[in-house]
Amino acid sequence: MERPLTTVAEAAGGDGDGDGEVYRIRPLELDDISKGFSNLLSQLSPSAPLTEDAFRARFGELAALGADHLVLVAEDASTGLLAAAGAVLVERKFIRSCGRVGHVEDVVVDAAARGRGLGERVVRRLVEHARGRGCYKVILNCTPELRAFYAKCGFVEKNVQMGLYF
Amino acid sequence: MERPLTTVAEAAGGDGDGDGEVYRIRPLELDDISKGFSNLLSQLSPSAPLTEDAFRARFGELAALGADHLVLVAEDASTGLLAAAGAVLVERKFIRSCGRVGHVEDVVVDAAARGRGLGERVVRRLVEHARGRGCYKVILNCTPELRAFYAKCGFVEKNVQMGLYF
């Protein structure tokens, strides 16, 4: 589902942006634990650094879900580090004639790479993945401050999110 | 994870309610397509009736996810029909030290069975399942009118839900 990009030139142009940036958006790989993935996630939710063992174990679990769970990252070709990430989980339902729904989760852009449209590019790729998997909609939860960002990505506000914390 | 209940008396008492009702809350079974499952879902989202083939195919796909996807139903022992249903999907994340989050989805109570606390019983069982699977939180999306119901189930309002419809 994700077209492999073999060169930086292809990556910059192949994404259809033509903005001269050298971010390569691609599925998460096992090597990414050494490319700042843990640091990137810490900007989303403070947490102890991810150990390589834990990362590899979770990577394997998610790989077993195939295209129903996709984590995308944006790699900065100039540094070899990850500048953004995001995930989409495809839920298989019984309602809507056994419909599918994409859940966008854990979208984050490195503090130093913000303001360049990278988050929107990642979200749009996640949405396209969900569409390609036959989802009838994609949903996500966000803080009120992020409404405008997701509206720019094509989302409209719906309902409220409730949570129960253990 | 779901204790098998062998008699109606056990079911009514075993759920800890002691309200004399004979709803047996249990995981969805293949036979449930003949017990009004499709009619129940149609009260949640208007849709063409679920065919037995589509139901069986989706049931098999979800069974492959094991305890990471649980659909519970409440069977009315007096009629043999389903009176409520709800699902919880366990998402495996990288954030929060490879944490897990439970997503409660598609909770519905038959129109004729409302007002008896059955929805709350189903939701609490879904929450307990998520807790047992090691989730650090359970989340759901609902219309503003359902805030009070989910508050009664232990949820607090968080964030906003955005959606993109294909």
Side-chain angles (χ1 to χ4, degrees):
Chain A
M1 74 233 119
E2 287 301 322
R3 184 168 58 87
L5 298 173
T6 51
T7 70
V8 169
E10 276 184 9
D15 212 35
D17 301 276
D19 56 6
E21 289 190 324
V22 287
Y23 294 114
R24 178 187 169 212
I25 299 176
R26 57 162 174 80
L28 184 72
E29 296 171 355
L30 265 176
D31 278 355
D32 289 334
I33 188 66
S34 65
K35 295 183 177 178
F37 187 58
S38 186
N39 172 58
L40 190 59
L41 296 189
S42 73
Q43 297 178 52
L44 191 62
S45 171
S47 198
L50 208 50
T51 67
E52 186 162 341
D53 282 352
F55 173 79
R56 286 176 174 275
R58 178 55 35 103
F59 186 97
E61 291 166 4
L62 296 178
L65 298 176
D68 277 1
H69 195 118
L70 173 68
V71 181
L72 288 180
V73 295
E75 181 175 336
D76 182 339
S78 69
T79 63
L81 297 175
L82 303 185
V88 64
L89 169 64
V90 175
E91 175 202 2
R92 292 168 187 247
K93 289 181 173 290
F94 284 105
I95 65 167
R96 298 270 184 152
S97 303
C98 290
R100 300 180 185 191
V101 169
H103 295 252
V104 166
E105 299 284 338
D106 303 338
V107 173
V108 60
V109 178
D110 183 70
R114 290 176 197 167
R116 302 175 197 175
L118 190 51
E120 185 178 343
R121 285 170 58 192
V122 170
V123 170
R124 287 187 180 277
R125 288 278 291 267
L126 295 171
V127 166
E128 284 312 305
H129 179 77
R131 189 204 298 268
R133 296 294 295 161
C135 294
Y136 67 88
K137 69 174 178 181
V138 179
I139 59 174
L140 59 84
N141 299 309
C142 66
T143 57
E145 298 75 43
L146 284 170
R147 272 187 286 224
F149 167 71
Y150 284 111
K152 199 168 57 173
C153 297
F155 288 76
V156 293
E157 187 168 351
K158 304 288 294 186
N159 301 326
V160 297
Q161 184 212 351
M162 312 276 294
L164 184 156
Y165 294 74
F166 297 127
Chain B
M1 73 232 123
E2 289 300 324
R3 183 169 59 87
L5 298 173
T6 51
T7 69
V8 169
E10 274 183 14
D15 212 36
D17 300 276
D19 56 6
E21 288 190 323
V22 287
Y23 294 114
R24 177 184 170 212
I25 298 176
R26 56 159 175 80
L28 184 73
E29 296 170 355
L30 265 177
D31 278 355
D32 288 333
I33 189 65
S34 65
K35 294 182 178 179
F37 186 59
S38 185
N39 172 57
L40 190 59
L41 296 189
S42 72
Q43 296 178 53
L44 191 62
S45 171
S47 198
L50 207 51
T51 67
E52 186 162 340
D53 282 353
F55 173 79
R56 287 177 173 273
R58 178 55 36 100
F59 186 96
E61 291 166 4
L62 296 178
L65 298 175
D68 277 2
H69 195 119
L70 173 68
V71 180
L72 288 180
V73 295
E75 182 175 335
D76 182 339
S78 69
T79 64
L81 296 175
L82 303 184
V88 65
L89 169 64
V90 176
E91 176 201 0
R92 292 167 186 248
K93 288 181 174 289
F94 284 105
I95 65 167
R96 299 271 184 150
S97 302
C98 290
R100 300 179 185 191
V101 169
H103 296 252
V104 165
E105 299 284 338
D106 303 339
V107 173
V108 60
V109 178
D110 183 70
R114 290 175 196 166
R116 303 175 197 175
L118 191 53
E120 184 178 342
R121 285 171 59 192
V122 169
V123 170
R124 288 188 179 277
R125 288 277 292 267
L126 295 171
V127 167
E128 284 314 303
H129 179 77
R131 188 203 299 268
R133 295 295 295 161
C135 294
Y136 66 89
K137 69 174 178 180
V138 180
I139 59 175
L140 58 84
N141 299 308
C142 66
T143 57
E145 299 75 42
L146 284 170
R147 273 187 284 226
F149 167 71
Y150 284 111
K152 199 169 57 173
C153 298
F155 288 76
V156 293
E157 188 168 350
K158 306 286 296 184
N159 302 326
V160 295
Q161 184 212 349
M162 312 276 294
L164 184 156
Y165 294 75
F166 297 126

